[in-house]
Amino acid sequence: MNKRLAVSLIAASLLASGSAFAQSTTVQGAQEGARAGSEVGGPIGGVVGGTVGAAVGAAVEIPNAVITAIPRGERSVVVQERVVVGESLPPSVELRVVPNHAEYRYAVVNDRRVIVEPRTRKVIRVID
């Protein structure tokens, strides 16, 4: 029984990590981690998943200075794909460097400003 519980907790932690990475805040990471953990490991899995999700969410949280540095009023690109956190933008979308924050990229897609992980092109935050 203990071995089964340990395997469940490890699986919950792994699921929570992936779910929380796509989120942009600690709170959202904790909520998603708890949900994923409880699905796999019951109440104990929910606690472990929430803790792991919060930690991972905090690690990927985007500073307000980055969000406020992204200009408004830029021309939007229209794509057919849904623009959601965790999904990659198509290659046709030009990624721009966030002013004063070269480690971040952004794009304006379907009239929404989004922050993108440059290497994978995955959306990590939808601003508006």
Side-chain angles (χ1 to χ4, degrees):
M1 179 65 177
N2 286 337
K3 191 177 236 182
R4 186 174 184 175
L5 178 61
V7 170
S8 295
L9 292 176
I10 291 169
S13 296
L14 293 174
L15 285 173
S17 298
S19 296
F21 182 77
Q23 303 302 318
S24 59
T25 67
T26 305
V27 173
Q28 289 173 330
Q31 290 170 344
E32 285 295 311
R35 183 192 55 74
S38 65
E39 288 175 6
V40 175
I44 294 173
V47 171
V48 172
T51 303
V52 171
V56 174
V60 298
E61 193 163 333
I62 298 168
N64 283 334
V66 172
I67 295 167
T68 58
I70 296 175
R72 292 184 179 272
E74 291 196 15
R75 202 172 94 146
S76 179
V77 175
V78 177
V79 297
Q80 296 300 316
E81 296 87 351
R82 288 183 43 205
V83 179
V84 295
V85 171
E87 294 297 321
S88 296
L89 292 178
S92 61
V93 176
E94 178 188 353
L95 302 183
R96 298 179 179 109
V97 176
V98 175
N100 301 318
H101 301 280
E103 68 275 19
Y104 293 98
R105 303 290 185 275
Y106 78 97
V108 182
V109 184
N110 297 343
D111 295 320
R112 300 169 80 189
R113 294 180 305 155
V114 296
I115 300 175
V116 180
E117 200 286 317
R119 190 175 43 80
T120 63
R121 302 181 62 86
K122 286 187 179 182
V123 175
I124 55 176
R125 175 86 184 251
V126 177
I127 299 172
D128 50 36

